[in-house]
């Protein structure tokens, strides 16, 4: 700000030969600077407050079809459909932006997905997949978050010890997710609760696994299996734009609640 809050108009009065002029001059200067500040704040082209970036990772792609459902529905296509709808719904919120790891039918390696995600400086990451079951009647959804292996936990704590017990800022590639473990667990919990309401069923608790596709993501991260693609009824829902939008709104509620409650807790203890 051009105004110095420590300036004292009374000192100008004491040091001026004409105190009344000094007061008027001080008041005029204050009004002028306030007007300039207001004009500057409304200048066209100025950058608005930065949006928080949500990375959406549509699973599979290209020659990697993923689950094949009844009627030939591929997981790679269902994931891309869901990613497109979720991007649309998330971007309706002025505080959110979206980055996609793929926007078309192509194979993207796990490493490249993490590179795309981490370069986006994301607030959080959501992987999108379909679920599989031998039981064609299985329905609902599954939420996963990362659980480090004992070896990774030991390696991280050795690094932390070497920096005097402080949180490790620079870590090996495969330990990127380790320090976000508590935040990812919190995100998974919020997402589970919101989707329980949307699906009108309890689909269990979030699942913690040492998933390779999450291990290198440097932000709170989850994987959502949004439907059982072995269930014809769930496939029909996924193909329905209205259903996808309803699901996406539930995800957006979870994202906003997570971000608004400041769940950026560095884990690893």
């Amino acid at each position: 700000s051009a105004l110095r809050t420590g300036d004292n108009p009374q000192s100008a009065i004491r040091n001026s030969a004409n105190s009344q002029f000094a007061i008027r001059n001080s008041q005029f200067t204050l009004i002028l600077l306030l007007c300039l500040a207001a004009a500057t704040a409304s200048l066209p082209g100025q950058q608005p407050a930065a949006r928080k970036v949500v990375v959406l990772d549509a699973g599979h792609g290209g020659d990697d079809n993923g689950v094949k459902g009844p009627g030939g529905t591929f997981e790679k296509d269902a994931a891309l459909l869901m990613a497109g709808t979720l991007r649309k719904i998330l971007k309706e919120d002025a505080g959110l932006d979206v980055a996609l790891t793929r926007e078309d039918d192509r194979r993207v390696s796990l490493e490249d997905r993490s590179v795309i995600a981490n370069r986006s400086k994301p607030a959080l990451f959501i992987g999108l997949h379909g679920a599989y079951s031998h039981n064609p009647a299985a329905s609902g959804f599954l939420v996963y978050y990362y659980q480090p292996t004992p070896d990774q936990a030991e390696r991280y704590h050795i690094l932390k010890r070497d920096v005097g017990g402080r949180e490790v800022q620079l870590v090996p590639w495969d330990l990127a997710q380790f320090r976000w473990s508590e935040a990812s667990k919190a995100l998974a919990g919020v997402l589970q609760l919101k989707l329980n309401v949307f699906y009108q069923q309890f689909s269990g608790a979030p699942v913690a696994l040492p998933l390779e596709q999450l291990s290198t993501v440097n932000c709170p991260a989850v994987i959502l299996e949004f439907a059982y693609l072995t269930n014809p009824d769930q496939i029909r829902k996924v193909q329905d734009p209205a259903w996808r939008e309803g699901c996406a709104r539930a995800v957006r509620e979870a994202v906003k609640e997570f971000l608004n409650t400041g769940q950026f807790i560095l884990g690893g203890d």
Side-chain angles (χ1 to χ4, degrees), residues 27-156:
Q27 291 172 335
F28 173 79
T29 302
L30 176 61
I31 293 170
L32 176 62
L33 290 174
L34 287 173
C35 291
L36 287 172
T40 303
S42 60
L43 282 175
Q46 283 209 315
Q47 294 298 319
R51 292 182 169 201
K52 290 184 171 67
V53 177
V54 178
V55 173
L56 301 179
D57 177 37
H60 307 282
D63 59 355
D64 177 11
N65 294 322
V67 174
K68 183 179 180 179
T73 298
F74 288 129
E75 181 180 0
K76 66 175 184 178
D77 299 323
L80 199 57
L81 264 180
M82 197 68 207
T85 302
L86 189 49
R87 174 173 63 175
K88 171 191 168 186
I89 298 300
L90 288 174
K91 292 190 75 169
E92 288 177 357
D93 190 292
L96 298 175
D97 203 355
V98 174
L100 300 180
T101 58
R102 72 176 180 97
E103 300 186 49
D104 50 28
D105 184 18
R106 61 190 174 94
R107 174 186 278 271
V108 182
S109 70
L110 294 181
E111 181 177 351
D112 286 344
R113 290 172 191 268
S114 295
V115 169
I116 293 168
N118 293 339
R119 283 180 177 171
S120 302
K121 299 180 179 179
L124 56 89
F125 173 102
I126 301 175
L128 297 168
H129 288 260
Y132 171 85
S133 175
H134 290 293
N135 177 7
S139 65
F141 66 96
L142 293 166
V143 180
Y144 299 88
Y145 64 96
Y146 184 72
Q147 177 176 286
T149 65
D151 174 67
Q152 289 173 322
E154 182 180 2
R155 288 167 56 208
Y156 186 88

Side-chain angles (χ1 to χ4, degrees), residues 213-258:
Q213 56 264 55
L214 292 182
S215 66
T216 53
V217 176
N218 191 28
C219 68
V222 295
I223 288 177
L224 169 61
E225 291 186 345
F226 49 84
Y228 280 85
L229 299 183
T230 45
N231 181 327
D233 289 338
Q234 289 223 285
I235 290 174
R236 282 191 287 272
K237 288 181 177 179
V238 171
Q239 293 170 340
D240 179 1
W243 184 91
R244 291 199 308 274
E245 289 192 5
C247 184
R249 289 192 180 93
V251 173
R252 184 178 65 187
E253 286 181 19
V255 166
K256 291 294 291 180
E257 182 171 320
F258 174 79

